[in-house]
C-alpha cells in the first residue's frame, strides 16, 4: 500500500486505504426453519409436480428470535451510519476518523448478541415443546426436525473483519507460456483500468451522498419549522451530531461539504431563538441557498484515489 502521496500532472494520487479500511460484518444464527418435505403434506415425492418447489416450515414462533433479530438490524444500521458502501456488494468503507466509534458500537452489540444467544439456548427446549403443543397433529413431523441443543451454539456468531484490497502486481509466468502471459497481461491492464474507473465513480457517489445528507438535514428542519413553527432542542442536538459525524467521515476533504457544514452549523438558531419567526425565516433562506449550492457537484478535491 502506498503510504505517501504521489503527485502526477498536479493531481495527487493516494491509496484509498491511507484514509480508511474495508469492513465486513458477519452475523448469523439458527433461524428456526426446516426444509418442507412431501410427507409433511401427507404425500409422496412423486406426487409433487416438478413445477413446484417445496419451501420451508417453521420450528419456533417468531417471538423466540425477536431479540436476536433486533440486535442484528441495529448492528448493521450502525455500520451503515459510520461508513460508505464500497465497490463490492457486502463490504463497507470506514474512514479511520470514525473507525474507533464503529468498533466501540459494534462491540457493544456483539456483547448483547451473545447474551441474547445464551437466553435463546436456555429457553430452547421450553419454546420447542410449547410450539409443538400448538400443532399436536404434527408432533411426529416436527419433533425429529429439531437440532440437538449441543449442536446449536456454533450456529450463532457475530464477527467482523477489517481488510484492504489491491490489484495483483505479478503474474506467475512460469505457469503459462509466453503467448498466454502476454494475453493475460493485456487482460490485467484492461481490468485495472476498469477498476480505477469504478473507483473514480465511487468517489463521486460518496461526495454526492455526503451532500445529499446535508440537503436531507435541511429538508428535515424545514419540514419541522413548517409543521411546528419551531425547532426543538433535541432536533437541534440531533442535527449538530449528524453534521459532526459527516465532517469526520469526509475523508475526501471535499471543501464544498465542509463549507456547507460550517454555514449550517453557524446558522442554526440558538435555543432562545428556536421559535422566533424572523430568525427561522432567515434560517430557511440559508437552507434554501445551501440546497441550491449543493445540487451541483463542485469536485473541490484534487486527489485521485487508487487501490495500491
Amino acid at each position: 500500500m502506498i503510504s505517501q502521496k504521489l503527485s502526477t500532472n498536479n493531481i495527487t494520487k493516494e491509496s484509498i486505504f491511507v484514509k480508511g479500511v474495508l469492513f465486513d460484518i458477519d452475523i448469523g444464527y439458527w433461524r428456526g426453519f426446516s426444509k418442507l418435505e412431501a410427507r409433511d403434506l401427507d404425500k409422496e415425492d412423486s406426487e409433487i409436480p416438478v413445477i413446484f418447489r417445496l419451501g420451508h416450515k417453521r420450528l419456533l414462533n417468531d417471538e423466540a428470535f425477536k431479540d436476536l433479530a433486533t440486535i442484528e438490524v441495529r448492528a448493521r444500521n450502525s455500520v451503515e451510519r459510520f461508513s460508505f458502501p464500497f465497490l463490492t456488494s457486502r463490504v463497507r468503507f470506514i474512514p479511520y476518523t470514525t473507525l474507533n466509534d464503529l468498533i466501540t458500537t459494534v462491540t457493544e452489540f456483539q456483547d448483547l448478541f451473545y447474551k441474547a444467544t445464551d437466553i435463546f439456548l436456555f429457553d430452547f427446549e421450553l419454546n420447542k415443546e410449547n410450539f409443538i403443543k400448538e400443532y399436536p397433529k404434527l408432533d411426529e413431523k416436527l419433533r425429529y426436525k429439531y437440532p440437538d441443543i449441543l449442536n446449536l451454539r456454533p450456529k450463532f456468531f457475530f464477527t467482523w473483519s477489517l481488510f484492504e484490497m489491491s490489484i495483483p502486481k505479478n503474474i506467475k509466468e512460469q505457469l503459462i507460456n509466453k503467448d498466454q502471459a502476454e494475453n493475460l497481461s493485456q487482460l490485467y491492464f484492461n481490468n485495472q483500468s476498469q477498476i480505477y474507473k469504478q473507483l473514480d465513480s465511487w468517489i463521486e457517489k460518496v461526495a454526492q451522498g455526503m451532500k445529499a445528507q446535508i440537503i436531507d438535514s435541511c429538508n428535515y428542519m424545514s419540514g419541522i419549522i413548517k409543521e411546528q413553527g419551531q425547532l426543538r432542542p433535541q432536533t437541534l442536538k440531533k442535527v449538530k451530531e449528524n453534521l459532526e459525524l459527516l465532517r469526520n467521515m469526509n475523508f475526501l476533504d471535499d471543501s464544498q461539504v465542509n463549507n456547507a457544514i460550517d454555514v449550517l452549523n453557524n446558522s442554526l438558531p440558538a435555543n432562545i431563538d428556536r421559535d422566533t419567526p424572523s430568525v427561522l425565516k432567515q434560517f430557511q433562506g440559508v437552507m434554501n441557498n445551501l440546497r441550491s449550492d449543493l445540487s451541483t457537484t463542485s469536485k473541490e478535491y484534487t486527489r485521485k484515489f487508487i487501490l495500491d
Side-chain angles (χ1 to χ4, degrees), residues 100-308:
N100 186 61
D101 289 336
L102 174 61
I103 295 299
T104 299
T105 301
V106 170
T107 300
E108 292 172 355
F109 282 121
Q110 184 185 50
D111 183 55
L112 291 174
F113 178 85
Y114 285 119
K115 287 180 179 178
T117 297
D118 290 339
I119 294 173
F120 179 91
L121 295 176
F122 182 81
D123 293 336
F124 176 70
E125 290 295 338
L126 178 61
N127 287 333
K128 179 182 78 173
E129 293 302 325
N130 287 338
F131 186 78
I132 292 175
K133 286 178 181 178
E134 293 182 30
Y135 307 96
K137 294 182 180 181
L138 300 177
D139 188 301
E140 293 183 0
K141 295 178 180 178
L142 287 175
R143 192 173 294 278
Y144 81 99
K145 285 293 187 178
Y146 288 91
D148 188 290
I149 192 169
L150 295 178
N151 297 324
L152 263 183
R153 186 173 288 277
K155 298 180 183 294
F156 293 74
F157 52 88
F158 187 121
T159 62
W160 66 84
S161 303
L162 299 175
F163 60 97
E164 300 171 356
M165 62 181 292
S166 63
I167 298 177
K169 297 296 181 298
N170 299 313
I171 298 175
K172 297 183 181 298
E173 295 188 17
Q174 68 269 25
L175 301 180
I176 52 180
N177 61 42
K178 182 177 179 181
D179 290 338
Q180 290 175 325
E182 291 178 354
N183 290 336
L184 189 57
S185 295
Q186 184 60 47
L187 289 172
Y188 161 76
F189 176 79
N190 294 338
N191 185 57
Q192 183 183 44
S193 299
Q194 183 61 33
I195 287 176
Y196 282 131
K197 286 180 181 178
Q198 293 175 1
L199 186 60
D200 290 342
S201 176
W202 174 72
I203 293 296
E204 292 300 320
K205 289 179 180 178
V206 169
Q208 292 169 8
M210 289 190 293
K211 291 161 190 173
Q213 288 187 54
I214 298 175
I215 292 175
D216 287 344
S217 293
C218 292
N219 292 338
Y220 171 67
M221 288 186 287
S222 292
I224 291 179
I225 292 173
K226 184 177 180 180
E227 292 178 5
Q228 303 178 12
Q230 63 175 331
L231 290 172
R232 298 183 183 278
Q234 56 266 39
T235 299
L236 293 170
K237 181 175 182 293
K238 177 182 178 181
V239 170
K240 288 179 181 179
E241 289 175 350
N242 288 340
L243 291 176
E244 185 59 28
L245 175 60
L246 187 59
R247 188 194 300 278
N248 288 337
M249 293 178 66
N250 183 16
F251 67 94
L252 299 177
D253 293 332
D254 189 323
S255 59
Q256 190 180 24
V257 170
N258 286 335
N259 291 339
I261 292 174
D262 287 339
V263 170
L264 196 54
N265 263 329
N266 295 333
S267 303
L268 286 172
N271 281 331
I272 58 174
D273 297 320
R274 61 188 178 85
D275 58 356
T276 304
S278 60
V279 173
L280 294 179
K281 182 178 180 180
Q282 182 179 3
F283 182 52
Q284 286 278 37
V286 171
M287 291 193 292
N288 289 336
N289 291 335
L290 277 178
R291 280 191 285 256
S292 176
D293 292 342
L294 293 174
S295 62
T296 58
T297 302
S298 66
K299 300 183 182 180
E300 293 182 25
Y301 45 90
T302 57
R303 289 189 187 87
K304 180 175 178 60
F305 287 104
I306 56 178
L307 294 179
D308 304 318

Side-chain angles (χ1 to χ4, degrees), residues 60-68 120 127:
L60 288 179
N61 286 318
D62 290 343
E63 185 67 23
F65 303 91
K66 182 178 178 181
D67 289 344
L68 290 164
F120 179 91
N127 287 333

